Amino acid sequence: MRGIVATLAAAAVSLVLAGCGSAPTDAESTPPAPAPSATAAPTPVADVPIAAATPEPVRQPVPPVRVAVAAIGVDIPVVPVGVEEGGFMEIPDDPAVAGWYRFGADPSSPDGNTVITAHVDFPGYPIGPFSRLRDLPAGEQVDVTDDAGTVHRYVIESVTYYPKADLPVNNLFARSGTDSLVLITCGGPFDQATGRYADNVVAVATPVE
């Protein structure tokens, strides 16, 4: 804008001075050349990324349907479970059936722990296979079959007894930063008054690449 104003001002001053002199000669009668017009610089164009108007589809989980640990003779079906009244994870009554926490990760998830649990025992049922988790040594293989028929293999990293009040729930049920398999059952002394075991037995396994 300043360039345009300066050009127009210079042309106006020339015209005023020409009108103030004596009678124009032939040379003076020649009209002055028009001042060059100012040309505005082109506006640069910026490349602006455009986000998709529709969100990416939500990933559908692929539930585990079976868990097998050959070293301790475990081979049982798995069903999806949620949260019961009181905030505790649901567990199938039959100790020969395990429950997968459906609000967490599944074996095909890119992130988060897959949590599967089963009772040691329950009134009216025999002792369940998960009672043998306490005897599971590190390095043994665990196979989890999902609803699509894919077998996901893990290797036991640790087996730990936790008093129920000290169970590291946030770590075991983590939804990011890890992709372990977590198997949980009860263990330790049995409290006749409450009808519950004092501890949880937790086996953590890492996926085989």
Side-chain angles (χ1 to χ4, degrees), residues 17-101:
L17 291 177
C20 293
S22 57
T25 63
D26 292 339
E28 290 174 336
S29 64
T30 303
S37 61
T39 303
T43 303
V45 177
D47 291 329
V48 179
I50 300 175
T54 55
E56 294 184 4
V58 177
R59 176 186 172 276
Q60 293 298 317
V62 185
V65 296
R66 196 157 203 89
V67 58
V69 191
I72 54 175
V74 171
D75 188 358
I76 61 175
V78 179
V79 297
V81 297
V83 180
E84 64 183 17
E85 186 176 351
F88 297 100
M89 179 178 172
E90 291 178 332
I91 305 176
D93 289 347
D94 187 350
V97 178
W100 161 64
Y101 184 61

Side-chain angles (χ1 to χ4, degrees), residues 27-182:
E28 290 174 336
S29 64
T30 303
S37 61
T39 303
T43 303
V45 177
D47 291 329
V48 179
I50 300 175
T54 55
E56 294 184 4
V58 177
R59 176 186 172 276
Q60 293 298 317
V62 185
V65 296
R66 196 157 203 89
V67 58
V69 191
I72 54 175
V74 171
D75 188 358
I76 61 175
V78 179
V79 297
V81 297
V83 180
E84 64 183 17
E85 186 176 351
F88 297 100
M89 179 178 172
E90 291 178 332
I91 305 176
D93 289 347
D94 187 350
V97 178
W100 161 64
Y101 184 61
R102 60 187 174 89
F103 298 121
D106 63 82
S108 296
S109 296
D111 208 10
N113 288 341
T114 300
V115 180
I116 297 175
T117 184
H119 281 303
V120 166
D121 55 20
F122 197 82
Y125 295 93
I127 297 293
F130 265 35
S131 63
R132 299 190 285 275
L133 282 185
R134 60 187 178 184
D135 302 321
L136 187 56
E140 293 295 340
Q141 181 173 300
V142 182
D143 291 339
V144 178
T145 304
D146 66 25
D147 194 42
T150 302
V151 178
H152 303 265
R153 290 188 167 83
Y154 301 82
V155 172
I156 293 295
E157 186 178 85
S158 64
V159 177
T160 308
Y161 275 73
Y162 291 101
K164 288 186 180 291
D166 298 333
L167 190 69
V169 176
N170 290 338
N171 292 338
L172 298 178
F173 287 78
R175 298 184 182 182
S176 63
T178 179
D179 58 353
S180 297
L181 171 68
V182 179

